[in-house]
Amino acid sequence: KHFAKVILIISILTLAIVFSGIFTNHALRKNSKILEEHIIRIGYASDNNWVKAEEELEFINQYWNKVQKNWAMLQSHFEIDYIESALTRTTEYVKSRELTLTLAESALLKQSIQHIPRKMAFTLENIL
């Protein structure tokens, strides 16, 4: 009887951990995809549409401010700081209308944002 209770508690805790991991990964992927879509749109600057690029950056900054607290609980602060630095540099490059630097930095920003959900994914590679 006591053994059955222990097994039940362990099973419930294991399921809770697995489902929270799945939920967390889903949320990270969803947030990442939204940010990626808007980072790609910064490329509108390549068509000399800097106003559109600024609008996209404004959205990214606002969305990032909402999600970064959750991401910070799951990731090292080094990676979060890197994303914030890349976002700041991208914003300054757009303001100064530096096309090459804008595109290069936005590509790095996108790569950094894509990296976190991949790193947190429940895969054999990440477990080992």
Side-chain angles (χ1 to χ4, degrees), residues 56-66 87-88 91:
E56 294 300 332
L57 272 168
E58 181 62 32
F59 175 86
I60 292 166
N61 277 304
Q62 289 175 357
Y63 192 78
W64 175 249
N65 286 333
K66 285 195 286 188
L87 186 54
T88 300
T91 301

Side-chain angles (χ1 to χ4, degrees), residues 33-86:
K33 288 291 181 196
I34 291 169
L35 288 166
E36 287 174 47
E37 289 172 11
H38 290 274
I39 291 168
I40 290 169
R41 292 178 189 164
I42 293 172
Y44 292 152
S46 63
D47 296 330
N48 285 323
N49 194 346
W50 293 101
V51 173
K52 184 66 177 166
E54 288 173 345
E55 290 171 1
E56 294 300 332
L57 272 168
E58 181 62 32
F59 175 86
I60 292 166
N61 277 304
Q62 289 175 357
Y63 192 78
W64 175 249
N65 286 333
K66 285 195 286 188
V67 301
Q68 68 96 13
K69 292 176 187 99
N70 295 332
W71 284 40
M73 288 188 292
L74 303 168
Q75 283 302 295
S76 72
H77 289 284
F78 174 77
E79 291 184 11
I80 300 301
D81 291 343
Y82 186 83
I83 289 171
E84 289 180 355
S85 296

